[in-house]
Amino acid sequence: MKVLFASTKEQEEKINELVNYFYSDIFPYYYDDEEIAEFKNIGVLKIEKHHFEKIGTLKEAYQVIASLQTIIVILEEKIHKKMNKRYEEIFNHNVQILNKYTIPFPFFYIQFNSNQKTSTESFSIYKCAANEMLI
């Protein structure tokens, strides 16, 4: 007999939070708004109910969370020009984990080139506001 623990609602929320972080804090540094809108249209990192059914155990949910977090850290390091060949291997490994759970992330490490945009000067409708003014 084998005992499995089901994934929790909090884990599902964390996965959705990480996906939103990709769209608001990672993609705007590498891609323009039209490209990001296209990513949404084609379903990049779109996680639906059937994905959560496939990610049914605690272990699987943690694998997805860890993969998303690892890819985020690697891409944030790449923004600051700290590139390393080892990062590419880790990036690819974590993309494979997402693919295992049919979470669409159709990118290669080399597609994220921070030279395309200046990260401090980029404006995007997807970025979180640095501050808010209530009127």
Side-chain angles (χ1 to χ4, degrees):
M1 177 190 231
K2 188 174 184 179
V3 177
L4 296 175
F5 295 97
S7 61
T8 64
K9 182 75 174 161
E10 289 80 11
Q11 287 174 315
E12 292 177 11
E13 291 170 1
K14 182 65 177 176
I15 291 169
N16 286 324
E17 176 186 317
L18 290 169
V19 168
N20 290 333
Y21 187 83
F22 265 98
Y23 278 96
S24 65
D25 292 301
I26 299 296
F27 289 152
Y29 285 104
Y30 295 102
Y31 300 102
D32 59 30
D33 289 350
E34 293 81 26
E35 291 171 309
I36 297 170
E38 184 62 25
F39 297 161
K40 282 194 174 237
N41 287 339
I42 64 172
V44 171
L45 288 175
K46 185 174 184 180
I47 300 180
E48 299 175 354
K49 186 162 180 69
H50 74 274
H51 288 107
F52 288 118
E53 291 168 0
K54 192 169 187 171
I55 306 169
T57 66
L58 284 174
K59 178 184 175 188
E60 293 166 342
Y62 279 126
Q63 282 181 325
V64 171
I65 291 169
S67 292
L68 291 169
Q69 289 174 331
T70 302
I71 292 170
I72 287 169
V73 168
I74 289 170
L75 294 177
E76 286 177 338
E77 287 292 312
K78 202 170 182 185
I79 289 170
H80 302 293
K81 310 282 191 247
K82 297 177 184 174
M83 294 173 265
N84 185 329
K85 185 67 176 168
R86 177 83 174 117
Y87 287 170
E88 185 173 1
E89 296 168 11
I90 296 169
F91 178 91
N92 292 335
H93 173 73
N94 285 284
V95 170
Q96 288 175 351
I97 291 172
L98 294 179
N99 289 334
K100 174 182 166 185
Y101 296 107
T102 65
I103 298 171
F105 191 76
F107 299 103
F108 296 102
Y109 183 76
I110 59 172
Q111 288 178 284
F112 291 94
N113 183 0
S114 60
N115 293 334
Q116 292 173 344
K117 294 175 76 174
T118 56
S119 60
T120 57
E121 297 176 6
S122 64
F123 294 102
S124 174
I125 61 172
Y126 293 98
K127 269 188 167 178
C128 293
N131 56 27
E132 290 184 29
M133 181 185 222
L134 297 175
I135 299 177

